[in-house]
Amino acid sequence: MESIAIAASQLNWNGGQRITLKAGDTATCTVLRPDQLYGIFIYNSAQNDNNAVVNVVWSNSQPPCQITVPGTTANAGLASMGFVSGSDTQTISVSLPSNGGIAQVDLWLGSVSMPTNTSGLNNQPLQANGDPVPFNKYTRYYAVPPSKWMNLTIASTITQFISCQFRQDKATVFVVNETSNGLLKGQITKMGPTASESGAVMISTSQIQSITENLQGDGSQWVWMDADSQQNSQNATIALQSL
C-alpha cells in the first residue's frame, strides 16, 4: 500500500462527502482503509451535453486514471464509477483539469464506512422487514444483517436502473431491466491490482424489472447506493427481507 504526495491547495475530502468540482479543482482523501473497497460516484452536473474528464491519482508510480462522465442537459445523467482498494493506497485525489472550461461534476465516496460525512446524501438504515422503500438519487442505505439468510430485491419500472452494493472488500453493480447496449463504455473503472482482481467488482444484471439476491449476514455492515439519474430513480425501490 502506498500514499501519494498532495498539495496544500487541495480540498479536504477525508469525509468522502458529496462535493462539487469545477475546472481546476482537486479533492483529496487520505484515510482509505486496508481491505476495504471504495467506489467514487461521479455525476456530470454542468447541465450541458459536454463530457467531463476526471483525473484520479491513486499511486505515485502509476499514471492518473481518466474517467469520462457523459454530459447531459438538465443534470439528467448517470453516475460513472471508479473503484479502488485501501489495500493498494490510503490516498486518492480526484480533479478536473484547469482547461475543463464549463465542466462540473458532483462526487462522493462510497463503501461500508464512507462517506463519514453524509451531507448532501440521504443516508438511512434498510430495515429487514421486506417492505419496498424508495431508492432515489443521492440515497445510501445500510444494514447489519444477523447471521442468517436474507433476500434483497431491487425493482424499477424504468429501463436499466443502476445501483451498487458494498461489502467490505467487494462491490456489486446491479443493473435492473438491462438494455441490449448494457452499461456505457467506461462507466465502471477499476484502479489498482486489488480492485481489478476477479470477483472484487462484480456486475449483476436482469432483463426484467427487478433483481433479487440471497445474502447471508454475519454481523458486518452492508451498504447500497443509487448510481442512476434523478428521473430513472423516481420509481425505483429496494427491499430487504429476513428469510
Side-chain angles (χ1 to χ4, degrees):
M1 185 180 72
E2 63 179 287
S3 123
I4 61 174
I6 60 173
S9 60
Q10 294 179 346
L11 302 173
N12 186 323
W13 196 36
N14 283 349
Q17 67 273 21
R18 177 184 163 193
I19 58 175
T20 299
L21 292 185
K22 297 182 180 180
D25 289 344
T26 299
T28 302
C29 178
T30 63
V31 293
L32 302 189
R33 301 179 185 177
D35 300 318
Q36 195 165 120
L37 189 68
Y38 296 85
I40 308 169
F41 292 73
I42 314 170
Y43 281 93
N44 194 322
S45 58
Q47 300 193 31
N48 58 63
D49 61 0
N50 295 315
N51 293 345
V53 178
V54 176
N55 292 310
V56 182
V57 176
W58 65 273
S59 169
N60 281 328
S61 59
Q62 299 294 326
C65 180
Q66 291 193 329
I67 299 177
T68 299
V69 191
T72 63
T73 57
N75 194 17
L78 313 173
S80 291
M81 292 171 278
F83 292 94
V84 66
S85 172
S87 295
D88 295 333
T89 180
Q90 69 181 41
T91 301
I92 55 169
S93 289
V94 184
S95 62
L96 268 176
S98 57
N99 63 352
I102 59 175
Q104 177 178 296
V105 296
D106 288 351
L107 69 153
W108 63 85
L109 271 180
S111 74
V112 292
S113 64
M114 280 288 187
T116 55
N117 178 352
T118 57
S119 176
L121 297 176
N122 179 21
N123 183 53
Q124 55 186 304
L126 182 61
Q127 304 296 337
N129 55 16
D131 291 342
V133 291
F135 203 6
N136 298 323
K137 184 179 179 181
Y138 302 134
T139 294
R140 176 185 189 269
Y141 283 105
Y142 59 90
V144 183
S147 300
K148 59 179 297 185
W149 283 105
M150 319 287 286
N151 179 262
L152 176 76
T153 301
I154 299 172
S156 173
T157 58
I158 301 296
T159 301
Q160 191 141 317
F161 174 73
I162 303 168
S163 60
C164 187
Q165 170 185 279
F166 290 96
R167 186 178 181 218
Q168 197 61 23
D169 60 349
K170 292 180 173 58
T172 301
V173 177
F174 292 115
V175 185
V176 176
N177 206 10
E178 184 187 31
T179 68
S180 58
N181 294 324
L183 295 171
L184 298 174
K185 182 180 179 180
Q187 192 168 356
I188 294 176
T189 301
K190 305 171 188 177
M191 296 168 284
T194 304
S196 300
E197 289 178 354
S198 176
V201 179
M202 297 175 288
I203 300 174
S204 180
T205 66
S206 76
Q207 279 68 51
I208 58 176
Q209 294 182 346
S210 66
I211 195 167
T212 61
E213 178 179 272
N214 289 326
L215 58 92
Q216 193 165 36
D218 59 3
S220 63
Q221 179 149 289
W222 297 61
V223 164
W224 299 270
M225 302 189 77
D226 187 336
D228 217 305
S229 63
Q230 179 67 36
Q231 71 270 30
N232 277 11
S233 305
Q234 289 177 356
N235 296 313
T237 61
I238 183 171
L240 185 65
Q241 181 180 9
S242 176
L243 299 180

